[in-house]
Amino acid sequence: MTRQPTSRWLRRPHDGSGTALAYGADYNPEQWPREVWEEDVRLMRQAGVTIVSLAIFSWARIQPDEDDWDFAWLDEAIDLLHANGVAVNLATATASPPPWLAAAHPQILPVTREGQTLWPGGRQHWRPTSPIFRRHALRLVTALAERYGEHPALAAWHVSNELGCHNVYDYSDDAARAFRVWLRERYGTLATLNHVWGTAFWSQHYSGWDQILPPRLAASYPNPTQQLDFKRFSSDALRDHLRAEREVLRRLTPQVPVTTNFMVMGEIKAMDYASWAQDVDFISNDHYVVPGPQSFDELSFSANLTGNIASGRPWYLMEHSTSAVNWQPVNVPKGPGELMRDSLTHLAHGADAICFFQWRQSAAGAEKYHSAMLPHAGADSEVFRSVVDLGRTLEDLAAVAGTVRKPAKVAVLFDWQSWWASEQDSHPSSLLRYRLEALDWYSALLALGVRADVVPVGGELDRYDLVVAPILHVVPAELADALTAYAEGGGHLVTTYFSGIVDEHDHAWLGGYPGALRELLGIRIEEFAPLFAGQSVELDNGTTGTVWTDRVDVIDPSVKVLVSYAAGEQAGRPAVTRRPVGAGSAAYISTRLGAAGLEPVLLELLTAAGVAPELPPAVAGQVELAVRTGEGQEFWFLINRTAEQVEVPDVPGEVLNRRSAAETAGGGLLLQPRGVAVVRRPAET
Ligand code: GAL
């Protein structure tokens, strides 16, 4: 067999047959008798499935004991899938260690901050830093790579599964040892560490590396920089595990791309995925909708951020749900049209593979009430009909495959360091929510019909006319310089409360807040003035602030006060300011306005930055626009955010998914409730 060159995307095992967009699910055939597999592949063909992720939780089945291996069932499953035109994203199966391993080596089990062991019985009960676990995991990876590396069905390697889903923070002795090594590499000397951690405070000075521990349950607040460094270390430790498995795979099967499924979604914050992006051949993500007032905006936000972590290139949606999940307090099914709309929204933001957890709903185990492509009800079900419909639609949209995200004119910066640091304990307020603030800005942009990119901090800013930096709490000197240069170069920056406050060591910038951004913003704050839960304050533009206020003083006469506090302790003081900087500007919002409250301010800032919506004003707010581009063409995704029909006037172009989502009427497009139309047009020059 000839080896194919390493690809940045799925290896194409089926010489061009099937759709160019991949479609499928996690597949767990080991949960079912052999005869069920035949029905599986028949129904997969019916649904248009092109790829499955296999063997994710199969370690105990593949290796029932330390020196006992059973590949026969997996050989058979892969061959059957291949014979039916289904490619395999083969997991390395290391996500959930088998009982024999934990019994022989209880030192692989994670330990909580309180000192409790996390026992086997669930999944992912392993320490990211355990040398014993690593050795056994790599042995398994080696065995799989040697056996299946040349199999024609193999499209990619899927390392582990959702690294850090349950085991990211481990406070064991292994973690303590690895943390010390990480700290030595970062700081070199104990003197530096003592300075950075501010150990002059509360008699915390270290005189030997061995005295340093993870921030285990303590009598009072553990050292904040120790906590922040432990978060950094824990994300890096999982990335090291990814790298270790990847190295084995690259050595043995250089022709096969390697990925792992990220969890860019909701409040999952422990993995700094922007720092993992270079460690995979293509980005994969899992996303689940958590019902709530901004749930669909959150999906779009996460897909958008994932697409930008992937630098605009295609990425793989490895898991989402066809309907209800099993892990919320109350698990409601998706409404009509949501399966299609959610899937096409990920596609709109750059996904070239649309997959679900899982193919066939389990009959036993903790996830038996979690939806799947093939539900308990069987193929004669609304869910399966929707699954087949989506498969056909993805075939209609094959031309989108391989195109990239078209950059927007507005960026919302996203920064894991600021997320981690701003929400630590012993702060002015425990009510601050980093990701919610960022999401509010994104919702406000959607409501105004303005396309935006959610981008990890540290990237190129100059391509954007407006940059929103919500709660940019950690601002090292270089970042302050970059933001200043951006504004001086004609860019328009807006930031919010609790931004610019600390450097990379979580040390406060002195001289008044917002610290590193004080000069740029032309304001000075002597004291924060957060609000109690349920407390709010009126502003003179008719909006209302919650969570936070600041005592803002203007220190640069060129600063314009856009909005002031109308009541409360800060009455008469500036709430929103804007300072002209060269051809650009720097604005500050000192309170939480919420998505609706941000709209008037945002509109003013967008106008100043010269950014106009690309959609007709009549549908702003009702329709989200996302654009992919390639080979002289653009694909406009018009996503109906409402549960009503919406008519979009004047969108010339060819509707690719007419059958399933949108109909033309009088020269415009009639979007069905929650419908998505994909329109092909010549690229704008
Ligand atoms: C993910 C996981 C899957 C499945 C799914 C259920 O976190 O990777 O294995 O558990 O959630 O929503």
Side-chain angles (χ1 to χ4, degrees):
M1 189 183 310
T2 50
R3 281 175 180 255
Q4 297 182 15
T6 301
S7 157
R8 296 294 297 173
W9 182 237
L10 295 172
R11 218 158 54 113
R12 300 198 56 167
H14 295 297
D15 48 277
S17 58
T19 170
L21 294 170
Y23 184 43
D26 289 5
Y27 181 40
N28 298 301
E30 66 269 41
Q31 294 177 14
W32 299 94
R34 176 64 180 82
E35 61 273 17
V36 173
W37 301 6
E38 299 298 333
E39 187 190 42
D40 284 336
V41 289
R42 179 173 62 74
L43 292 174
M44 282 181 193
R45 281 205 312 270
Q46 188 181 330
V49 164
T50 66
I51 193 162
V52 293
S53 196
L54 196 64
I56 302 166
F57 298 107
S58 305
W59 191 344
R61 182 72 194 268
I62 294 170
Q63 192 185 8
D65 217 327
E66 182 156 0
D67 292 310
D68 183 8
W69 298 85
D70 177 7
F71 289 107
W73 70 276
L74 190 53
D75 293 351
E76 204 174 338
I78 296 179
D79 289 345
L80 181 67
L81 290 162
H82 183 56
N84 284 275
V86 178
V88 173
N89 172 34
L90 188 57
T92 57
T94 56
S96 196
W100 62 260
L101 182 55
H105 303 287
Q107 321 83 299
I108 70 163
L109 300 172
V111 177
T112 65
R113 168 176 189 267
E114 293 80 10
Q116 287 176 337
T117 298
L118 298 179
W119 295 98
R123 64 174 174 187
Q124 222 176 49
H125 40 278
W126 52 275
R127 302 177 184 175
T129 56
S130 160
I132 298 173
F133 177 79
R134 180 74 57 89
R135 195 170 66 244
H136 284 276
L138 297 189
R139 188 168 172 233
L140 175 62
V141 177
T142 305
L144 285 163
E146 285 172 345
R147 190 166 190 95
Y148 298 112
E150 299 289 342
H151 198 290
L154 185 61
W157 289 113
H158 165 189
V159 167
S160 193
N161 188 65
E162 289 189 346
L163 287 162
C165 183
H166 312 289
N167 63 349
V168 54
Y169 293 130
D170 163 44
Y171 296 79
S172 66
D173 290 343
D174 279 333
R177 274 187 290 273
F179 188 36
R180 289 174 202 135
V181 171
W182 185 92
L183 290 166
R184 281 185 104 123
E185 277 171 17
R186 188 175 174 92
Y187 298 122
T189 66
L190 265 185
T192 306
L193 178 130
N194 276 309
H195 165 71
V196 164
W197 282 18
T199 56
F201 181 81
W202 279 356
S203 182
Q204 292 173 353
H205 184 92
Y206 293 97
S207 57
W209 289 98
D210 286 352
Q211 300 157 11
I212 299 173
L213 294 169
R216 292 174 176 160
L217 185 63
S220 181
Y221 303 114
N223 181 303
T225 313
Q226 177 192 14
Q227 290 194 57
L228 183 58
D229 271 346
F230 188 66
K231 292 184 174 100
R232 291 167 170 152
F233 155 78
S234 298
S235 176
D236 287 0
L238 286 163
R239 192 184 57 188
D240 278 354
H241 184 85
L242 164 63
R243 287 178 177 169
E245 289 202 18
R246 187 203 59 195
E247 284 321 300
V248 172
L249 297 167
R250 287 223 172 127
R251 179 165 48 79
L252 296 174
T253 62
Q255 74 281 17
V256 184
V258 178
T259 192
T260 191
N261 43 350
F262 293 177
M263 293 174 283
V264 177
M265 63 174 145
E267 289 295 319
I268 295 182
K269 70 175 185 181
M271 281 66 67
D272 175 358
Y273 290 124
S275 77
W276 293 27
Q278 300 305 316
D279 290 301
V280 287
D281 289 317
F282 56 85
I283 301 292
S284 299
N285 196 48
D286 295 352
H287 186 272
Y288 290 91
V289 175
V290 177
Q294 283 166 280
S295 61
F296 182 64
D297 295 357
E298 195 286 320
L299 185 156
S300 172
F301 180 96
S302 292
N304 191 324
L305 176 56
T306 305
N308 284 299
I309 290 172
S311 303
R313 289 192 301 269
W315 52 277
Y316 189 129
L317 178 68
M318 208 179 283
E319 291 180 24
H320 70 315
S321 70
T322 58
S323 194
V325 298
N326 67 309
W327 40 261
Q328 288 165 20
V330 176
N331 296 293
V332 296
K334 287 196 177 180
E338 287 186 39
L339 184 157
M340 177 72 76
R341 182 202 57 184
D342 293 355
S343 298
L344 296 190
T345 303
H346 288 291
L347 186 74
H349 287 286
D352 265 11
I354 302 294
C355 296
F356 293 97
F357 174 83
Q358 60 177 324
W359 164 251
R360 184 184 280 273
Q361 187 169 2
S362 301
E367 292 179 331
K368 61 181 172 297
Y369 297 118
H370 193 295
S371 61
M373 291 176 94
L374 186 59
H376 284 165
D380 182 12
S381 60
E382 203 51 49
V383 166
F384 191 69
R385 280 186 281 279
S386 302
V387 159
V388 173
D389 189 26
L390 176 58
R392 300 275 177 284
T393 300
L394 293 177
E395 283 169 13
D396 293 344
L397 299 178
V400 174
T403 59
V404 298
R405 293 171 53 84
K406 182 179 176 186
K409 301 248 179 276
V410 177
V412 177
L413 294 190
F414 196 82
D415 181 29
W416 268 269
Q417 304 289 315
S418 289
W419 192 2
W420 293 342
S422 67
E423 293 185 1
Q424 295 213 119
D425 59 44
S426 54
H427 275 195
S429 172
S430 58
L431 302 178
L432 173 149
R433 289 289 168 274
Y434 174 85
R435 201 174 194 266
L436 228 49
E437 180 66 35
L439 180 59
D440 282 347
W441 283 89
Y442 191 72
S443 290
L445 286 158
L446 286 174
L448 295 173
V450 174
R451 214 157 53 81
D453 290 342
V454 185
V455 291
V457 78
E460 190 56 55
L461 296 180
D462 287 345
R463 63 154 64 151
Y464 296 108
D465 294 333
L466 177 71
V467 168
V468 182
I471 313 185
L472 190 62
H473 185 63
V474 179
V475 180
E478 312 80 65
L479 180 56
D481 291 347
L483 294 171
T484 304
Y486 167 70
E488 284 171 349
H492 296 270
L493 173 75
V494 51
T495 189
T496 73
Y497 56 96
F498 218 34
S499 294
I501 305 301
V502 296
D503 66 10
E504 63 273 38
H505 303 315
D506 201 27
H507 291 199
W509 290 102
L510 304 181
Y513 313 123
L517 302 177
R518 191 176 59 235
E519 304 297 329
L520 175 60
L521 294 164
I523 57 169
R524 183 165 178 270
I525 296 160
E526 290 182 27
E527 284 194 283
F528 306 118
L531 303 175
F532 290 111
Q535 199 184 352
S536 63
V537 62
E538 300 304 311
L539 276 62
D540 68 359
N541 70 344
T543 59
T544 303
T546 59
V547 177
W548 199 279
T549 65
D550 286 317
R551 282 181 44 196
V552 176
D553 287 313
V554 169
I555 56 170
D556 178 331
S558 67
V559 167
K560 199 169 156 212
V561 176
L562 302 185
V563 183
S564 297
Y565 289 99
E569 293 293 323
Q570 313 309 324
R573 281 184 183 272
V576 178
T577 60
R578 183 161 167 268
R579 174 174 172 248
V581 185
S585 68
Y588 183 74
I589 319 276
S590 62
T591 184
R592 175 157 192 233
L593 291 173
L598 284 171
E599 282 179 43
V601 170
L602 189 54
L603 195 59
E604 192 168 343
L605 298 173
L606 287 164
T607 307
V611 178
E614 291 156 284
L615 282 176
V619 298
Q622 296 173 289
V623 175
E624 174 184 350
L625 172 68
V627 183
R628 295 183 61 167
T629 181
E631 295 184 357
Q633 299 184 328
E634 280 184 359
F635 297 89
W636 280 41
F637 288 75
L638 299 157
I639 304 164
N640 185 350
R641 301 172 70 219
T642 77
E644 315 291 329
Q645 284 192 339
V646 175
E647 183 161 357
V648 188
D650 306 328
V651 185
E654 177 199 359
V655 180
L656 296 181
N657 61 334
R658 190 176 303 240
R659 190 183 49 76
S660 65
E663 310 207 354
T664 55
L669 288 175
L670 190 64
L671 298 181
Q672 299 303 330
R674 300 174 174 133
V676 181
V678 185
V679 179
R680 174 160 49 190
R681 318 156 37 115
E684 282 167 8
T685 46

